[in-house]
Amino acid sequence: MFIEVADLELHPIDFQEEFAPDAIDLGADVRQRTPLKTGGRAQLVEEHRGKHKVLQDIRLQGELSTSLELPCARCLDPVISDVSRSFDLLYRPLGSDAGNEEQAVTGPEAEIGYYEGEHLLLEDVLREQTLLAVPLKVVCREDCKGLCPTCGKNRNVELCACEHPVEDLRWAALKDIREKLQH
Ligand SMILES: [Zn+2]
Ligand SMILES: [Zn+2]
């Protein structure tokens, strides 16, 4: 969906969209597994630069939710993770900050992007925001044993003959702590 500056000059645009699974390309490691739902509002914000220059910024506020498939951090098996995120973004015309980087940052909370030409493609925004919502680390299950660092076998599926003294010690220590907490 294109958000056109020409339309925004007339009135803000409220959007409510649903994108089919895999419609948003999230790269090699992450897949969009369920419809991505999004809703929000786009409006034009005039930003005065000096005496005569007025930038037409697009402010985009909204939220998104979907389910992602991504690899388990330990064994790489696919894991489904529900994500949702709300956003409040400002897009300036591309090139408007060229040469004066200082002005590009207006505050720690402000997220500034740029749009090219006369419109902003909602899908691009959603791709970026969905990737920002991806959890840093997911595991298929709490006690996932992961891949053997020596032979590469998935230790949830089959035992290998390699020795893992360091891992075992760490695991024992964790178990110890857990038992103490429970008593
Ligand atoms: Zn796993
Ligand atoms: Zn092994």
Side-chain angles (χ1 to χ4, degrees):
M1 173 192 175
F2 281 112
I3 296 166
E4 304 280 352
V5 172
D7 294 336
L8 292 176
E9 280 172 343
L10 304 175
H11 50 73
I13 295 172
D14 291 319
F15 59 90
Q16 201 72 49
E17 296 281 320
E18 196 170 310
F19 295 90
D22 286 328
I24 307 291
D25 180 5
L26 300 166
D29 291 335
V30 184
R31 271 187 65 193
Q32 177 207 339
R33 283 295 299 268
T34 59
L36 185 149
K37 292 176 187 167
T38 184
R41 161 170 280 216
Q43 58 191 314
L44 221 51
V45 176
E46 290 198 338
E47 194 184 342
H48 294 266
R49 286 276 175 92
K51 268 186 184 165
H52 305 294
K53 202 171 167 195
V54 177
L55 297 182
Q56 286 189 309
D57 298 343
I58 299 174
R59 183 177 182 185
L60 195 68
Q61 295 161 279
E63 58 214 5
L64 67 85
S65 64
T66 187
S67 293
L68 303 176
E69 180 186 300
L70 53 164
C72 166
R74 294 185 201 147
C75 73
L76 306 180
D77 270 2
V79 182
I80 304 294
S81 180
D82 294 334
V83 296
S84 62
R85 180 178 173 86
S86 56
F87 47 86
D88 187 352
L89 309 159
L90 195 69
Y91 289 86
R92 289 183 176 140
L94 187 70
S96 57
D97 285 319
N100 48 354
E101 260 75 28
E102 303 83 5
Q103 287 194 33
V105 182
T106 50
E109 324 257 290
E111 292 188 69
I112 309 278
Y114 298 92
Y115 68 92
E116 197 175 351
E118 294 304 309
H119 52 237
L120 180 65
L121 184 60
L122 184 61
E123 285 85 332
D124 286 344
V125 176
L126 295 173
R127 173 179 306 114
E128 196 180 284
Q129 292 302 310
T130 305
L131 287 172
L132 286 171
V134 173
L136 284 178
K137 190 176 174 182
V138 291
V139 286
C140 60
R141 57 182 212 228
E142 197 114 333
D143 63 345
C144 169
K145 296 184 185 73
L147 301 178
C148 168
T150 309
C151 70
K153 276 181 185 161
N154 185 339
R155 289 185 286 176
N156 298 319
V157 180
E158 58 180 316
L159 291 170
C160 60
C162 311
E163 285 183 34
H164 313 286
V166 180
E167 286 258 326
D168 289 345
L169 278 175
R170 208 186 296 157
W171 183 241
L174 262 178
K175 231 172 128 184
D176 208 39
I177 291 167
R178 200 178 283 173
E179 273 164 16
K180 275 184 193 147
L181 286 173
Q182 279 168 353
H183 294 297

